[in-house]
């Protein structure tokens, strides 16, 4: 389980926690070789096993294994760093996500059978 309470820089946009792409990807078992950036599309692609996840800067959409889904917050670039919405990316890889409002902590539990 990954418990995240802001030890790595994060931003909150429209009440959603966004985390730097590499920090989040590594925590979910995605290696640097499985992270790609398309500057023309402003798209981040993450791959783990058979799971393929794409997000687009400024667009509230996530594509998971070719299936397009609407999300309520768009990925963003802040001070030159790309931030992704933690919940949607983790859930795309089959993880369970929780929020502890008292501790202001996001918890992500990996599911071994996914991705």
């Amino acid at each position: 389980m990954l418990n995240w309470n802001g030890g790595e820089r994060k931003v909150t946009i429209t009440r959603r926690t966004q985390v730097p792409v590499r920090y989040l990807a590594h925590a979910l078992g995605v290696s640097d070789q499985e992270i790609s950036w398309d500057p023309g599309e402003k798209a981040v692609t993450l791959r783990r096993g058979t799971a393929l996840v794409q997000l687009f800067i400024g667009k509230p959409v996530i594509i998971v294994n070719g299936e397009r889904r609407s999300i309520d917050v768009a990925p963003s670039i802040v001070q030159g760093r790309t931030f992704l919405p933690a919940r949607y990316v983790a859930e795309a890889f089959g993880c369970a996500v929780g929020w502890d409002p008292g501790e202001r902590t996001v918890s992500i539990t990996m599911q071994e059978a996914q991705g």
Side-chain angles (χ1 to χ4, degrees):
M1 177 182 340
L2 165 72
N3 280 315
W4 191 84
N5 63 3
E8 173 73 18
R9 185 170 173 209
K10 62 113 177 145
V11 295
T12 302
I13 299 173
T14 59
R15 299 178 54 120
R16 292 289 183 199
T17 299
Q18 294 203 26
V19 180
V21 63
R22 289 197 189 282
Y23 176 81
L24 181 59
H26 292 169
L28 295 172
V30 177
S31 70
D32 282 338
Q33 294 78 23
E34 298 167 313
I35 302 168
S36 63
W37 168 251
D38 179 336
E41 293 288 325
K42 293 187 178 177
V44 174
T45 301
L46 307 173
R47 180 183 301 272
R48 188 184 82 197
T50 59
L52 180 69
V53 178
Q54 291 181 291
L55 297 103
F56 303 85
I57 302 302
K59 296 181 181 178
V61 66
I62 187 171
I63 300 174
V64 181
N65 296 327
E67 180 185 331
R68 184 181 183 98
R69 304 175 189 170
S70 293
I71 57 178
D72 62 2
V73 63
S76 58
I77 297 177
V78 178
Q79 296 180 348
R81 291 186 81 180
T82 301
F83 287 78
L84 302 179
R87 172 175 294 279
Y88 294 113
V89 175
E91 288 177 343
F93 284 110
C95 299
V97 180
W99 169 249
D100 182 333
E103 295 293 322
R104 301 183 54 81
T105 301
V106 175
S107 62
I108 297 174
T109 305
M110 303 281 285
Q111 304 295 323
E112 294 301 320
Q114 297 292 321

